[in-house]
Amino acid sequence: MTSAATSHVNPVIVIAVVLSAILEVLDSTIVNVALPHIQAAFGATTDQATWILTSYIVSAVVIMPLTGFVARRVGRRRLILTAVTGFTIMSVMCGLSWSLEVIVAFRLAQGMFGAFLIPLSQSILFDAFPREKRGQAMAIFGLGVVVAPVLGPTVGAILTEYFSWRMVFFVNLPVAALALLLLAGELPDDKTEDVRIDWKGLALLALGIGCLQFVLDQGETMDWLSSRAIQVSVIASVLGALGFVFHALTSRNSVVDLRLFGDRNFALCNLIIAGFAVSLFGGIAILPTLVQSLLDFPVIASGHLFIPRGLTAGLSMVLTGAVLVNRFDPRLLAGIGLLLTAIGNFMMGAINLNAGFWELAWPGAISGLGMGLVFVPMSILAFESISKDRQDEASGLFNVTRQLGSSVGISLVGTWVVRGLQTNTAVLSQNVTPYNPAAQEYLSPLGLAPDSAEGAAILGQEIMRQAEMISYLTVFNNLGLLALATIPLLFFCHAPKPGSHTAAHVH
């Protein structure tokens, strides 16, 4: 493998690993748009259809921390080739699925293979670049792994609208074929280690993270702790997590080395990236529902809203990775990025039911600028003191933290919207009576009275619309406050040594 100390960079390997990463990150968002169509095709309920997303995420989160361990045992080359091949086969099988149970099973397997792609792609790419060119590596890699998931809803909407929901899985084929061809031809063999399999640690890790992810994904649907399944999962997650932490700290051969969190920068950056993921992906998750259900945007138009965000994220990633990180303190850049993320959310928290396309697109574009300014510096700060032989493992942990942050964000916003809707409806209903002048004025152009059956029904619909809108606005403002709340953590990070941009691990 090309050493980081050499000046030669193999462009074929760069293209190959970026394509491998795009496979996973694109698939994580592209399926969301097609979910209603898949639900209709299989005659499934909304609760049942969400398992298509949950199965993939749970398996990926459980497997991702094992990247370093498996890579040492079988080698990076063999593992990434197997992961791309397995991911592609499972994608095809998802597209050919004939029932809900079958597609959920294939999505579970797809997530297991896909879990390795991001951490391995990062490690291979950053080993291929010399130290002084790590900013360029960040820019190239960021274009794929940051822009792809943002544009996923757009691509998914187009494929679903003009072709079929099955195409969101088949679209992986050409990308995977090219990545496999390039990797097989250019990626050299590497050494393997005879590492003992820590079955106990693996079981506890799977129990803790898997149950936590299940709770986050299904909590709102099952009404949280009122569900026996959620209660059992919470208990299992806590016991599994505590058991794994104790095992990892007392065992010499733990499947994941938690001592990595003893590095102050790595620990703080994991906290920051988790908070940022909540703020960013929470907002992205509810935007399509908001514009389609309340603002009457068609599916294609809701997908187009993500294009400005994707373009500014790409611009920000290139500019930050290639230029800014070499000239400014990464902590300053990350702080500006978090501030822009907060501003974007606050702008969304100030819209109304008459908002047009650009009133919704501009906040996304501003948040997109913040994405590159956060991801690149956070990667530099997080991996400043991580040795080369621990990069695979650290990258797996970093990505699990980001994924869990994303899941927490999606779960939180779903809960906030539903509970806010109930509260706001009750408050608004108290103020809207047949004797309210505003209600009479609202219905007078329709020739209706507030105390008539038809008038009461129209008022009820409008109360629901306004209550739901207030809920969404509150969520966006909360996400903006969260982004601001993570900024002080940057002051506790050590600044990197001049010229020592040792790694760039983003997703």
Side-chain angles (χ1 to χ4, degrees), residues 239-252:
L239 292 177
L242 291 175
F244 176 74
V245 170
F246 178 79
H247 173 77
L249 296 178
T250 57
S251 172
R252 292 184 177 181

Side-chain angles (χ1 to χ4, degrees), residues 164-455:
S164 163
W165 64 263
R166 299 181 187 273
M167 285 301 297
V168 302
F169 297 106
F170 294 147
V171 75
N172 291 328
L173 280 173
V175 180
L178 181 56
L180 270 177
L181 181 65
L182 298 179
L183 287 170
E186 295 293 331
L187 191 61
D189 287 320
D190 52 319
K191 295 179 181 180
T192 60
E193 301 177 27
D194 186 18
V195 185
R196 273 184 54 190
I197 299 178
D198 177 20
W199 292 110
K200 182 178 180 181
L202 180 59
L204 289 169
L205 179 69
L207 180 66
I209 293 185
C211 289
L212 173 60
Q213 186 65 55
F214 171 78
V215 170
L216 292 173
D217 283 348
Q218 297 295 314
E220 180 58 38
T221 302
M222 297 184 175
D223 198 20
W224 296 104
L225 293 178
S226 63
S227 164
R228 181 59 61 88
I230 295 297
Q231 293 173 4
V232 172
S233 296
V234 168
I235 294 171
S237 177
V238 171
L239 292 177
L242 291 175
F244 176 74
V245 170
F246 178 79
H247 173 77
L249 296 178
T250 57
S251 172
R252 292 184 177 181
N253 300 306
S254 174
V255 69
V256 175
D257 186 6
L258 293 183
R259 294 178 181 86
L260 284 165
F261 289 107
D263 181 279
R264 189 162 92 178
N265 269 23
F266 186 74
L268 285 171
C269 289
N270 271 271
L271 284 175
I272 295 169
I273 207 68
F276 175 69
V278 171
S279 180
L280 177 68
F281 292 105
I284 288 176
I286 60 172
L287 183 58
T289 307
L290 164 63
V291 300
Q292 290 178 46
S293 66
L294 276 180
L295 306 183
D296 297 326
F297 276 51
V299 174
I300 291 295
S302 68
H304 289 165
L305 279 175
F306 290 91
I307 293 178
R309 185 191 297 260
L311 292 175
T312 56
L315 173 64
S316 174
M317 188 63 65
V318 172
L319 185 63
T320 305
V323 180
L324 298 181
V325 292
N326 297 317
R327 302 186 180 186
F328 298 97
D329 188 331
R331 296 171 298 180
L332 173 63
L333 296 176
I336 294 173
L338 289 167
L339 180 61
L340 289 174
T341 302
I343 291 172
N345 278 312
F346 289 143
M347 290 175 67
M348 284 298 300
I351 63 171
N352 56 47
L353 287 166
N354 297 316
F357 180 88
W358 285 108
E359 288 174 273
L360 298 164
W362 274 117
I366 290 173
S367 293
L369 287 174
M371 289 174 72
L373 286 167
V374 172
F375 277 120
V376 182
M378 280 296 94
S379 303
I380 292 170
L381 291 170
F383 292 84
E384 169 67 14
S385 304
I386 303 298
S387 60
K388 180 180 175 181
D389 61 332
R390 303 176 83 190
Q391 283 187 9
D392 286 343
E393 195 165 8
S395 177
L397 287 173
F398 196 64
N399 280 288
V400 166
T401 301
R402 182 214 52 78
Q403 179 62 61
L404 288 175
S406 172
S407 298
V408 168
I410 294 170
S411 180
L412 271 180
V413 298
T415 301
W416 286 342
V417 168
V418 171
R419 295 188 178 179
L421 175 60
Q422 296 169 350
T423 302
N424 296 330
T425 301
V427 172
L428 292 177
S429 297
Q430 293 175 356
N431 297 314
V432 180
T433 68
Y435 309 104
N436 189 312
Q440 297 172 0
E441 184 180 348
Y442 179 78
L443 292 174
S444 61
L446 302 175
L448 298 172
D451 54 356
S452 67
E454 190 175 353

Side-chain angles (χ1 to χ4, degrees), residues 123-147:
S123 297
I124 293 170
L125 180 63
F126 300 123
D127 277 355
F129 273 78
R131 184 178 298 273
E132 66 274 10
K133 293 186 178 180
R134 291 288 167 84
Q136 296 177 22
M138 180 72 260
I140 296 169
F141 194 71
L143 279 174
V145 301
V146 175
V147 179

